[in-house]
Amino acid sequence: MRHGLDRRDFLKLGGLGMASLAVPGWLTRAMAEPGADAGRSLVVVMLNGGNDGLNTVIPFADPLYAKARPSLGVPREQVLKLNDALALHPSLVRLRQLFDSGGVSIVSNVGYPRPDRSHFRSMEIWQTGQLEGAVRDGWLGRCLETPDGVTPHSVVFGPEAPIALWNDRGGVLAMENPGVFELATDQRHPADRASVLKAFREIYAIPREGPAETARRRGAEVMAMSDRIRAISQKPAPPTAWPNSPLAQQLRFVAAALEDRLGARVYFVSQGGFDTHASQRNAHANLLTQLSEALVAFQADLTTRGIADSVLTLTFSEFGRRVAENQSQGTDHGAAAPLFVMGRAVKGGLLGGTPDLEKLDGGDLRMTTDFRSVYATVLDRWLGIAPAPVLGGDFPALPFL
Amino acid sequence: MTEVQLLAHLLRRAGFGASPAELDQARRDGFAGTLERLLHFESVNDPVDDDLADVQDGLLDMRNAEDVRAAWLYRMIRTTRPLQERLVLFWHGHFATSVQKVGDAGLMTRQMALFRRLAAGNFRSLLLEVTRDPAMLIWLDGRASRKAAPNENYAREVMELFTIGIGHYTEIDVREAARAFTGWTLREGVPVFDAGQHDKGEKTILGRKGAFGAEEVVDLLARHPATAQRLCSKLFREFVSPDPDRATLDAMVAEYTASGFDIRSVLRVLFSSPAFRADAAQWARIKSPVELVVGAVRAMPGIVPVRSLPLHLRRMGQDLLAPPTVKGWDGGTSWLNTSTMIWRFNCAKDTGPGTGNLPSPAWKPGELVASLALDTAEKLVDHLLERFGPLSVTPTVRAKLVEYVQAPEGPKAAPYPAPGSLDAKLRGAAHLVMSLPEFQLA
């Protein structure tokens, strides 16, 4: 009941009707033939801590910006102008080049009604796609299935699955480091490792009965997956220049896994450190440099590997930050913020308008685009999944796809 | 099941598995005697409190959730009252509260102490105390509930997850119960009843009318037949197998009602039932990460690396004091996925003899092998299978383990039981035994 048919059922129920206007031809084809979207993957980049959106996509022309940010404001002559009102932070110079070539959509003022300033709660809201109720599953986990019980539907870097990927059915592969996603043996006895592994594999190849057989199969699958993951991480990569940041290293593996057709539909990577309450200037500039360089290297690598058509990358953070800087040359938790959508399929440009620094909500930016509209667009036009059942309602799609 | 198998089965289910000494004790007491000792844990002297008091003094910071976890694991490993601690874990999963929202590790310790005090006590009393528990008042927003704006979070979950379950209540019941729970709030971490914030009006809940407060709602819920069914079936799945059988369930439900909601009486019926002794019940459950780790450590002599255990558990999907949702952990086969499975294996390496990579003065492989006369690969393998279960494996599986022990560590190394081979082969064989599919089961 839960298997296989869900996605097609969703398509029949809601997807076709909802996407009737403005749907590009290839998408109509994809929706008409269930499975045509199966080769597409989504890469989610989580910016942990609450990225300062106002210093990411900067309303440089608004005098209120410089006023609110006397020490943290980016001087007008340094910003990377996108139009007469908005500019990127100078650290995003590489991303700006990609934007100019049309592969990036910037959606401004994304948020949700009655914003919550708790990291924990706001992350829950962003990752469940639900404004209230108990946390049971995530917006992606809710609609993803492992195709065969072994292939993960999602791959995540970290000790555990983020809420966005939760469901009752499993299928998430969480790993801290693909290079060591393997059976560990005693470091004091490296010469014995081969014997331990040999015995392990042979023992896990002997069929059992009942629950022991369930455990044996899972173990054997893990060993197979571990071999695969390690092989992917050790494969010679195309000569793309990759920075050394943790985010870049995660994305580097994702690119290799995508080319190797590992089979996951979602790859979930993250960058931490955005909770910049104090001495923000250099810290935030460095974070943005890392983000920009990692994203651009990833996109270049996908192009070199010839798979850029089938990958969409989406960034998000749990909230933006307060418009006015605080007394510690930092910023406190805020509300609406911009996000990036990147990919060859993306219709580049600016969406969501310019932040209104005059009409604030308790010192925070008001949202103009509900984050669930972003999700709805990705689900409907990229993953081929009808958004309404996943998000519990209809949210207008955005024209970035 | 043989008598020994049955006792080991009981100690795995009503505890975290037994050391050889505990199994010997159980043999002397017999099944009935062992069961009563497990059930009446209050009468067993438990030095773990003194041990922990020593350890906490300077070594553990109980304001820190990671240290609270380590202390709890230490307790599970060292306690002489294993069923009590198993029940604390059960109630933690049932009334699943997370320190991530509560934000105060001290309040989590306090909630665990409540579960410990009423572990096998009266369910109605437990439910009432949980309703007023500080961590719960934060977790499900009871403290924010006001007469003019009752918060429905606790009212909903107490029905959906803690007692009667979906299908036995309506949205109106939730709203009315939320009114009844108003008044209980927190002041400086202490639960207080603020009569001015309590809605004294008449409510209709589950078909009954009255000016109900928290006590009356708790009473209605504890008495409800659906609560007996759900709770007994959950206890069956926790302690026996994933498929409750009708006869045992009926007997448990009858005892729940007859005893006035006494958990100890219900557990006695459960552990004494034919279903519990049935061969099919043996190895029918997937070990939770906590059972896996605590069981492994209990089975081995030596020093306990408790500080490293919370991280292992998190990787295996059971972050103590931070269950994923108010539903708790799903358990069963959900413990075994691609991510968690590899950590089950890798954790086995670190919780086995000699406690992983930590230097352990208690680890003397030569003495162990000499004292137990484990002078052949076969004897070593049989000893480990016995110690970690007793596990029964097919002759082919045993042969593979023996073959491993016999294989020299390297081209120039002498084979087992040469003194230079002992450290590698004891650790390696224990790692393999603890990684067996059979060891994943309880």
Side-chain angles (χ1 to χ4, degrees), chain A residues 122-187:
Chain A
S122 199
M123 266 301 181
E124 282 183 352
I125 290 170
W126 271 88
Q127 296 199 41
T128 55
Q130 292 165 338
L131 305 187
E132 50 202 20
V135 174
R136 281 153 206 273
D137 49 18
W139 74 281
L140 289 164
R142 204 170 291 141
C143 55
L144 295 173
E145 294 278 349
T146 149
D148 49 15
V150 184
T151 307
H153 58 65
S154 307
V155 173
V156 57
F157 289 82
E160 59 200 333
I163 296 169
L165 300 174
W166 284 359
N167 65 26
D168 287 342
R169 311 177 291 276
V172 180
L173 172 60
M175 56 189 166
E176 286 168 283
N177 180 349
V180 296
F181 184 72
E182 60 183 350
L183 196 74
T185 54
D186 205 300
Q187 283 101 318

Side-chain angles (χ1 to χ4, degrees), chain A residues 235-314:
Chain A
K235 228 173 170 176
T240 311
W242 279 98
N244 255 330
S245 67
L247 178 64
Q249 294 309 310
Q250 294 173 44
L251 287 172
R252 183 183 193 154
F253 174 82
V254 172
L258 284 164
E259 189 187 8
D260 206 66
R261 301 189 174 276
L262 180 65
R265 305 213 66 197
V266 174
Y267 292 84
F268 200 98
V269 299
S270 60
Q271 183 184 6
F274 285 92
D275 196 16
T276 49
H277 285 283
S279 313
Q280 171 180 311
R281 177 180 287 282
N282 291 334
H284 191 244
N286 289 338
L287 288 168
L288 292 182
T289 302
Q290 286 182 17
L291 174 66
S292 163
E293 292 186 349
L295 289 177
V296 171
F298 180 57
Q299 199 59 36
D301 198 31
L302 294 177
T303 304
T304 315
R305 294 175 192 264
I307 51 173
D309 285 336
S310 60
V311 184
L312 183 77
T313 303
L314 170 72

Side-chain angles (χ1 to χ4, degrees), chain B residues 99-297:
Chain B
V99 70
Q100 282 198 272
K101 177 166 172 182
V102 173
D104 181 338
L107 294 183
M108 297 306 293
T109 299
R110 180 174 162 155
Q111 193 184 64
M112 296 310 122
L114 161 63
F115 294 155
R116 200 164 289 124
R117 183 159 48 80
L118 291 175
N122 185 287
F123 183 71
R124 182 176 54 191
S125 312
L126 177 61
L127 188 61
L128 184 60
E129 294 215 25
V130 165
T131 304
R132 306 160 176 175
D133 172 67
M136 185 59 81
L137 283 166
I138 297 173
W139 174 238
L140 292 180
D141 302 314
R143 68 167 168 176
S145 191
R146 300 278 175 275
K147 186 172 162 182
N151 188 300
E152 293 173 11
N153 207 357
Y154 185 74
R156 179 180 309 282
E157 303 305 357
V158 75
M159 293 191 200
E160 179 180 341
L161 298 169
F162 303 164
T163 61
I164 54 185
I166 277 179
H168 296 282
Y169 61 91
T170 64
E171 286 299 308
I172 296 167
D173 290 325
V174 171
R175 253 174 271 152
E176 295 282 276
R179 291 175 57 211
F181 287 126
T182 53
W184 280 100
T185 188
L186 270 187
R187 286 214 187 109
E188 284 160 20
V190 180
V192 289
F193 183 70
D194 178 349
Q197 280 303 334
H198 176 61
D199 181 339
K200 298 183 193 69
E202 189 181 75
K203 296 112 190 159
T204 306
I205 302 173
L206 301 168
R208 308 282 283 274
K209 260 189 213 302
F212 300 134
E215 273 186 63
E216 289 79 12
V217 179
V218 161
D219 186 67
L220 275 176
L221 291 173
R223 267 175 209 292
H224 199 290
T227 297
Q229 284 291 340
R230 262 188 102 243
L231 189 61
C232 291
S233 144
K234 198 164 178 179
L235 286 166
F236 191 102
R237 280 181 274 121
E238 175 79 8
F239 292 105
V240 185
S241 81
D243 314 298
D245 82 287
R246 196 66 257 169
T248 311
L249 215 50
D250 286 348
M252 291 168 74
V253 166
E255 185 64 27
Y256 175 86
T257 313
S259 68
F261 329 121
D262 184 51
I263 298 299
R264 193 184 325 265
S265 307
V266 174
L267 288 173
R268 184 179 288 106
V269 169
L270 176 66
F271 288 121
S272 312
S273 69
F276 181 74
R277 293 165 171 265
D279 284 342
Q282 201 186 9
W283 309 117
R285 291 179 58 257
I286 311 276
K287 275 179 188 149
S288 67
V290 169
E291 288 173 80
L292 189 82
V293 166
V294 173
V297 177

Side-chain angles (χ1 to χ4, degrees), chain A residues 222-241:
Chain A
V222 171
M223 291 308 282
M225 186 56 74
S226 140
D227 292 345
R228 178 110 195 250
I229 297 285
R230 216 168 43 259
I232 291 172
S233 71
Q234 287 166 0
K235 228 173 170 176
T240 311

